[in-house]
Amino acid sequence: QVRLVESGGGLVHPGGSLKLSCAASTSGSIFSVSAMSWYRQAPERQRELVAKITSAYTEYYKDSVKGRFAISRDNSKNTAYLQMNGLEPEDTGVYLCNLDASPFRDVESWGQGTQVTVSS
């Protein structure tokens, strides 16, 4: 079983920055073949994919965060990151990390989430 622990959330003013981390307690062989994603869950809204990085380091971003957010990964530390700049109130929500090792391994896991609040 893979355990994901997010950190780095908090309260920030509009225009501010935060860097989220997602540490995976798993073998390096599973982490390195996994796609790592960040989702956002805002009140009364559906969970949405914000950013994703594949095992091949291909990146995907939700349109509204392109140019402001950057996803990265460090396979030596089994950790994924989300650098968030130019934060807006609409970015507020719980940010959840997801690990998906398919099609290489039948392993998927979610973290508990970290709260990001953007408010003046």
Side-chain angles (χ1 to χ4, degrees):
Q1 186 174 357
V2 177
R3 182 167 177 252
L4 302 178
V5 178
E6 301 99 332
S7 62
L11 172 64
V12 63
H13 292 308
S17 297
L18 286 173
K19 185 173 184 178
L20 307 183
S21 298
C22 173
S25 60
T26 182
S27 71
S29 61
I30 289 178
F31 186 85
S32 64
V33 301
S34 298
M36 298 300 298
S37 301
W38 287 96
Y39 285 76
R40 179 167 67 204
Q41 180 73 64
E44 300 182 356
R45 296 185 64 178
Q46 286 189 326
R47 184 176 295 184
E48 58 183 358
L49 176 63
V50 174
K52 176 179 180 177
I53 184 167
T54 69
S55 59
Y57 291 82
T58 301
E59 299 174 17
Y60 162 85
Y61 295 96
K62 178 179 172 59
D63 284 347
S64 63
V65 308
K66 286 180 180 177
R68 299 189 296 123
F69 289 13
I71 191 169
S72 61
R73 63 189 296 158
D74 185 340
N75 288 353
S76 69
K77 296 181 179 179
N78 285 4
T79 301
Y81 305 95
L82 184 67
Q83 177 67 49
M84 305 186 293
N85 301 323
L87 282 162
E88 303 169 352
E90 293 73 23
D91 296 319
T92 294
V94 176
Y95 283 70
L96 302 106
C97 180
N98 174 269
L99 177 151
D100 184 357
S102 64
F104 306 101
R105 299 286 294 274
D106 186 18
V107 175
E108 184 178 15
S109 184
W110 289 90
Q112 293 298 307
T114 184
Q115 176 70 44
V116 171
T117 302
V118 184
S119 175
S120 56

